[in-house]
Amino acid sequence: GDGVPMFRAKGIISCSPMELLDLLLDSSKVSSFNKHSNGRKDVCILYEGGKRFRDSVGDAIITKIMRTETKIPLTGKVIRMQTLLHARKIKEEGLVGDTFVLVSRSVDSSSCGGEEVKSARSRNEIIWGVNVLREVAGYANKVELTNFSQASSTAVPNFLAHKI
């Protein structure tokens, strides 16, 4: 990832960490928080112990493989990605309220499923993405969302990628 831009964003959202987690994991609702999404489809979902995430007690874990399609602003180009996402509840002594972490890695779909990438010019990837959802102390319906990501895309002009 040397020379590849890294992004960090942080904000407070009015909902519980579990509500935000449910929203981020629900592929049918992705367009409600990402206006550039043309859709996301779950390919494979793995739950710890076969339980749904919200029903798990303690160390709740989910891993998903998804196909996504995103229209890049300004350019109008559409990129298709395959994403591996892993989410879990964090339990730590002294930690107040719910905290979840989501870690993801996305690669250009043309490099998956037997298709060959025609040229380096069409490669897109999210080297890694990390979202931390932490309950704001004293506020049961507020969550602090911190996002770190490092992405490389030929669909986004280089001058713009380094300025965001």
Side-chain angles (χ1 to χ4, degrees):
D2 192 27
V4 177
M6 183 160 37
F7 308 96
R8 179 181 172 270
K10 192 175 199 175
I12 304 291
I13 299 170
S14 293
C15 66
S16 73
M18 182 59 86
E19 289 170 328
L20 182 57
L21 179 70
D22 283 342
L23 177 66
L24 294 174
L25 292 175
D26 189 340
S27 291
S28 70
K29 295 182 180 174
V30 76
S31 61
S32 69
F33 62 85
N34 181 351
K35 66 181 179 181
H36 305 295
S37 174
N38 286 351
R40 184 173 84 186
K41 181 182 177 192
D42 296 336
V43 176
C44 179
I45 304 173
L46 304 171
Y47 299 103
E48 176 191 70
K51 295 181 180 180
R52 290 190 55 93
F53 194 92
R54 75 173 84 247
D55 298 333
S56 296
V57 178
D59 294 328
I61 298 171
I62 186 173
T63 302
K64 296 174 71 167
I65 298 172
M66 303 165 293
R67 287 194 179 117
T68 64
E69 187 174 291
T70 305
K71 187 173 183 179
I72 303 299
L74 304 176
T75 67
K77 293 181 182 178
V78 173
I79 58 171
R80 291 170 185 84
M81 307 281 278
Q82 290 239 136
T83 301
L84 173 66
L85 174 104
H86 180 78
R88 72 178 307 137
K89 185 174 185 175
I90 301 298
K91 287 178 28 176
E92 190 175 302
E93 194 172 318
L95 193 62
V96 177
D98 286 339
T99 299
F100 299 93
V101 64
L102 293 85
V103 180
S104 62
R105 169 92 167 100
S106 298
V107 295
D108 196 306
S109 284
S110 60
S111 63
C112 303
E115 291 182 42
E116 201 172 303
V117 176
K118 301 274 189 274
S119 72
R121 299 170 61 94
S122 65
R123 292 182 189 249
N124 302 292
E125 68 178 326
I126 298 174
I127 297 167
W128 58 274
V130 176
N131 289 289
V132 179
L133 289 59
R134 184 178 13 221
E135 187 175 311
V136 176
Y139 296 93
N141 249 355
K142 299 253 186 220
V143 60
E144 176 187 85
L145 170 63
T146 306
N147 170 271
F148 301 92
S149 59
Q150 190 171 23
S152 173
S153 175
T154 55
V156 177
N158 203 24
F159 77 91
L160 184 60
H162 284 43
K163 293 205 184 278
I164 296 177

